[in-house]
Amino acid sequence: MEWSLLKKYPQDYYAADSGSVPGMIYYVDTVAFAKKHHLNILQILNEFECDCGKLENKPSPQDETQYFNWMSWFAWENMMSEVISFMETEN
């Protein structure tokens, strides 16, 4: 993904259901990403929930595919929220 596109159309790359994030389209990709970064994502999730309150409807770790897919998209959308906020303060 090119930074110039991300900067020009940040909302197009924010949501999980957009289908526009390379490497985050198929479960095989999102599950692998979340497994690789699981502890970091858990830390970010914990900080988020401390600041904003507990998130409801998180998938159970028993359903590994849904759980890790959700974790990947939580991490992505959290990061994009910070990027968008940063870009808004730059303008």
Side-chain angles (χ1 to χ4, degrees), residues 5 7 51 55 82:
L5 288 175
K7 194 172 179 180
D51 292 343
L55 295 175
E82 291 183 19

Side-chain angles (χ1 to χ4, degrees), residues 2 8-10 12 15-16 18 21 27 30-31 38 44 47 56-57 63-64 70 73 78 82 85 89-90:
E2 293 181 36
K8 189 172 183 179
Y9 307 107
D12 289 353
S18 70
V21 181
Y27 286 135
T30 58
V31 169
H38 192 228
I44 293 166
E47 290 174 21
E56 297 179 17
N57 301 321
D63 184 349
E64 191 172 287
W70 186 91
W73 280 106
N78 186 66
E82 291 183 19
S85 179
T89 61
E90 286 285 300

Side-chain angles (χ1 to χ4, degrees), residues 67-86:
Y67 173 75
F68 284 116
N69 184 64
W70 186 91
M71 295 292 277
S72 287
W73 280 106
F74 168 79
W76 177 266
E77 290 178 359
N78 186 66
M79 181 270 308
M80 280 301 300
S81 178
E82 291 183 19
V83 167
I84 290 168
S85 179
F86 173 77

Side-chain angles (χ1 to χ4, degrees), residues 7-8 17-18 25-26 29 36 43-44 53 61 70 89 91:
K7 194 172 179 180
K8 189 172 183 179
D17 62 0
S18 70
I25 295 172
Y26 301 104
D29 301 321
K36 181 177 180 180
Q43 289 175 325
I44 293 166
W70 186 91
T89 61
N91 293 329

Side-chain angles (χ1 to χ4, degrees), residues 37-70:
H37 302 286
H38 192 228
L39 291 178
N40 290 332
I41 295 170
L42 285 174
Q43 289 175 325
I44 293 166
L45 176 59
N46 184 53
E47 290 174 21
F48 181 89
E49 289 183 325
C50 284
D51 292 343
C52 301
K54 293 286 182 189
L55 295 175
E56 297 179 17
N57 301 321
K58 290 183 284 192
S60 166
Q62 304 302 327
D63 184 349
E64 191 172 287
T65 299
Q66 291 302 314
Y67 173 75
F68 284 116
N69 184 64
W70 186 91

